[in-house]
């Protein structure tokens, strides 16, 4: 399932939802680091995208540490993911794997 389809299907977010999203992002993050090394002409844009994805991951870590996610945290997380996609692209094709 594609990342944004999965996010849109979540009615009440859980920590398990965050883990699934994190796994998809983590895989993409590793791919982007490889891209930075091999393609320096788009370095600044890629670094900004990596920083945006990293801030989303940090938000998810905070929720996982507290073992809860509030409605406001969920909305901020979704907003940042959609912002990253709108500004930098690259998240649309991420797949998430449901257990």
């Amino acid at each position: 399932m594609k990342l944004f389809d999965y996010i849109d299907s979540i009615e009440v977010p859980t920590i398990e939802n965050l883990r699934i999203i994190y796994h998809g992002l983590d895989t993409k993050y590793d791919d982007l680091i490889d891209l930075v090394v091999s393609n320096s002409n788009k370095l600044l844009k890629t670094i900004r995208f990596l920083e945006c994805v990293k801030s989303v991951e940090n938000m998810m870590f905070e929720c996982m540490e507290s073992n809860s996610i509030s409605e406001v945290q969920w909305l901020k997380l979704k907003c940042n993911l959609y912002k990253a996609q709108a500004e930098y692209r690259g998240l649309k094709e991420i797949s998430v794997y449901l257990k």
Side-chain angles (χ1 to χ4, degrees):
M1 175 180 268
K2 296 297 181 190
L3 175 66
F4 289 106
D5 292 336
Y6 179 68
I7 289 170
D8 291 339
S9 73
I10 298 170
E11 293 179 26
V12 178
T14 65
I15 296 301
E16 186 59 32
N17 297 133
L18 292 182
R19 287 188 177 111
I20 290 169
I21 294 168
Y22 173 77
H23 180 70
L25 288 176
D26 192 46
T27 302
K28 182 66 173 179
Y29 193 78
D30 291 342
D31 293 344
L32 288 170
I33 290 172
D34 293 341
L35 178 67
V36 169
V37 172
S38 66
N39 189 1
S40 62
N41 63 341
K42 293 185 180 180
L43 183 62
L44 186 59
K45 183 177 180 180
T46 305
I47 288 173
R48 287 184 181 150
F49 178 69
L50 290 172
E51 289 172 349
C52 191
V53 171
K54 193 64 178 169
S55 71
V56 168
E57 288 181 339
N58 289 339
M59 291 170 66
M60 286 192 283
F61 282 140
E62 289 174 17
C63 293
M64 286 187 245
E65 285 177 355
S66 67
N67 204 27
S68 66
I69 180 167
S70 70
E71 186 75 24
V72 172
Q73 288 170 315
W74 177 241
L75 292 174
K76 284 181 182 178
L77 183 72
K78 282 175 58 173
C79 179
N80 284 333
L81 285 167
Y82 279 102
K83 177 184 173 188
Q85 174 59 26
E87 290 185 14
Y88 307 112
R89 310 281 184 241
L91 295 178
K92 186 174 149 185
E93 296 305 317
I94 292 177
S95 294
V96 294
Y97 301 97
L98 308 176
K99 293 181 179 181

